């Protein structure tokens, strides 16, 4: 499965639709990619833990809702740490074999962002990069 953002990032996120949906349902996946320190799986794991704490504090029903969606689609709920490993492995396979391009043939940028720490669960870094 390929993801391409309106901000010009693109790449592989999963091997098939079921795996992509498990990642989307069970993980703050875009933030884990954005706050990955350039693709470092350990940084992604730390980001996932911070984002899970933020979600639990601000959206306490989210896990129950995710479980209902997963059950309705016959998907598994996996630990975030496992989902991060899967997402990292697949996104790392994007280049050089798979390059996402726009309609003019221009290549999208990588999914891995350079930032290392999400702030308050936000996708958008503050002025100090965090």
């Amino acid at each position: 499965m390929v993801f391409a953002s309106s901000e010009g990032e693109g790449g592989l996120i999963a091997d098939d639709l079921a795996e992509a949906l498990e990642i989307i349902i069970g993980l703050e996946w875009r933030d884990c990619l954005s706050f990955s320190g350039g693709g470092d799986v350990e940084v992604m794991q730390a980001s996932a833990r911070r984002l899970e704490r933020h979600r639990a504090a601000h959206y306490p029903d989210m896990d129950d809702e995710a479980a209902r969606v997963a059950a309705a689609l016959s998907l598994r709920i996996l630990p975030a740490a496992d989902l991060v490993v899967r997402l990292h492995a697949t996104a790392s396979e994007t280049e050089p074999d798979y390059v996402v391009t726009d309609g003019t043939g221009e290549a999208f940028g990588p999914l891995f962002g350079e930032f290392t720490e999400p702030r308050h669960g936000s996708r958008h870094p503050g002025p100090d990069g965090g």
Side-chain angles (χ1 to χ4, degrees):
M1 294 297 303
V2 174
F3 172 76
S5 78
S6 59
E7 290 84 30
E9 307 156 330
L12 299 172
I13 62 166
D15 291 333
D16 58 43
L17 180 59
E19 186 175 302
L21 290 172
E22 287 173 352
I23 289 169
I24 291 167
I25 291 168
L27 183 67
E28 301 291 332
W29 65 279
R30 288 201 61 199
D31 290 330
C32 287
L33 288 168
S34 294
F35 299 99
S36 69
D40 183 318
V41 72
E42 294 302 321
V43 173
M44 289 175 71
Q45 293 286 6
S47 293
R49 287 188 298 272
R50 285 185 200 98
L51 292 160
E52 279 187 313
R53 285 191 302 270
H54 180 268
R55 184 176 71 189
H58 296 281
Y59 306 101
D61 296 332
M62 186 68 75
D63 288 340
D64 291 338
E65 292 173 20
R68 282 193 296 275
V69 170
L73 296 173
S74 299
L75 299 171
R76 300 170 295 170
I77 293 288
L78 299 171
D82 294 349
L83 294 171
V84 167
V85 168
R86 287 170 55 186
L87 177 61
H88 179 268
T90 306
S92 296
E93 294 174 2
T94 300
E95 292 185 22
D97 296 328
Y98 304 95
V99 178
V100 180
T101 60
D102 66 14
T104 66
E106 186 173 336
F108 278 57
L111 291 174
F112 294 121
E114 295 299 319
F115 301 109
T116 58
E117 186 173 329
R119 175 173 283 164
H120 307 298
S122 172
R123 244 189 117 314
H124 305 288
D128 62 352

